Amino acid sequence: MEKRGQLKRPSLMIQVVIGAVIGTLLGYLSPAVGMEMEFLGTLFMNFIQMVIVPLIFPLIVLAIVEISKAKRFGNVAFKSFAYFFVVTTFLIVLTLIIGALSNVGNGLLIDSISTEALDGIANSIDFRTFILGIIPSNVFQAFADGNLLPIIFFGIFLGISLVTIQEKAKPVLDFFDAWISAMFKMVNYAIAVAPIGVFGFLAYDVATYGVSNLLSLGQFVIWAYLAYAVVAFVVYPIIGLGFKVPYFSLLKETSDLSLLAFSTGSSSVVLPSLIDRLKKFGVPSSVASFVTTLGYSFNLGGAAVYTTLAVMFVVNLYGASLNVTDYIALVFFLTIITKSIAAVPSGAVVVLLASATQLGLPPQGVALLVSIDFFVNAGRTALNVVGNALAPVVIAKTEGKFVPSGVLNEKESSNLVK
């Protein structure tokens, strides 16, 4: 009788939705109070970001050790990069077609557009600096900055080095294994307060930006979300079908994480939890850790869709005419440049500015999109999470190592690569 009388605690998704609704209402009804709630979202974000690097680094090291022992590191790495480039290139081509057919941006007035929103943002990406930045001259600086690419690079080479010294590496590996368990426990504590963080973020964002920007540029927002939906509910399911991945089961399993990323506008918030969830779903620990982390830099499907549609918005806004050669060059340019988004501050905006410059278009159109980035960033971020949930399952499938949840426990699943 006592148990029957107790109220069941709502799921994380329901809690996040409740926090989002209350935050939105507060920001709309009382902007002054809503703007003061930003610190709650910042506290939550700091809590998560505090754990990301200390968790991701040992995960990469152990993943490399496990994959290397099975003599499959080159295989997994090659398949991952091939998958990332093929999928993101296809998404860019698809979005170019959507942007051209929809004529998004055509007919909007542009006379009074200001470029003030772009102050302090670079208008190009230096590929030499980007490549050199992958190999850190000071690894501790990379850890302090939270820059994942050099951390991944260092982790890969440390993992390979640990494999070569064999039994001497055991104390280090045991330490990392225990450390990871502690970090995941911290992540669980942080995720428990996610509804409060989402409440703070949305109260502040709605109070700051209001709904007028959404209404005035609703055309682009609508087409952006239609493109996101096509990828999430048409393209990704087809990929899942092709590799015999239970895509919609995966989507359901990670839906609360996608919603959390949507609400906070940050995919890094759910990275540790996503890796853990994929392991429970049936992906070997090594594949989940390696492919997911790598995907956060090279498999940003949502960012690829957004930047491509935004480029077409600027093209149509100014009535620019592109020929077949221009489109081919644009596909190649976006395929390469979008891989550097994760390593560049305001990466999506930088890509847009670089693309506009490449096409000879003024930056005012990009400034117009920056003013409503809050609204489209939510969907872009959620789609990044969905794409990075699918990729490790696909790679595990190609390796013959995916075992659906319920067949093996997590420990057995992590031992599959041995």
Side-chain angles (χ1 to χ4, degrees), residues 80-123:
S80 299
F81 277 109
Y83 175 87
F84 297 158
F85 274 85
V86 169
V87 171
T88 52
T89 301
F90 176 78
L91 294 182
I92 288 168
V93 173
L94 177 66
T95 311
L96 280 176
I97 295 171
I98 292 174
L101 294 179
S102 66
N103 210 17
V104 59
N106 185 48
L108 287 180
L109 298 175
I110 60 174
D111 292 338
S112 60
I113 300 176
S114 169
T115 59
E116 185 179 347
L118 303 179
D119 290 347
I121 296 178
N123 60 9

Side-chain angles (χ1 to χ4, degrees), residues 241-324:
L241 188 64
F243 288 95
K244 297 182 180 178
V245 170
Y247 174 74
F248 287 104
S249 296
L250 174 66
L251 199 63
K252 182 180 179 182
E253 182 72 20
T254 58
S255 58
D256 57 332
L257 301 182
S258 298
L259 178 62
L260 184 56
F262 180 93
S263 303
T264 61
S266 171
S267 56
S268 63
V269 167
V270 301
L271 175 56
S273 299
L274 181 59
I275 293 171
D276 192 44
R277 198 72 60 85
L278 287 169
K279 291 193 292 184
K280 292 176 181 176
F281 190 70
V283 179
S285 175
S286 57
V287 175
S289 301
F290 180 72
V291 178
T292 308
T293 306
L294 204 62
Y296 263 58
S297 293
F298 295 99
N299 187 40
L300 302 176
V305 170
Y306 166 76
T307 51
T308 307
L309 189 66
V311 168
M312 290 307 298
F313 173 88
V314 178
V315 167
N316 294 330
L317 182 68
Y318 290 99
S321 178
L322 303 182
N323 55 36
V324 175

Side-chain angles (χ1 to χ4, degrees), residues 1-7:
M1 289 291 291
E2 185 179 345
K3 288 185 178 179
R4 190 180 302 174
Q6 292 177 348
L7 290 175

Side-chain angles (χ1 to χ4, degrees), residues 57-77:
F57 173 67
L59 278 175
I60 284 293
V61 173
L62 292 188
I64 295 305
V65 170
E66 291 179 5
I67 294 173
S68 297
K69 283 181 179 178
K71 296 180 173 59
R72 293 189 300 105
F73 172 66
N75 241 5
V76 172

Side-chain angles (χ1 to χ4, degrees), residues 242 331 397:
V331 169
K397 267 283 188 178

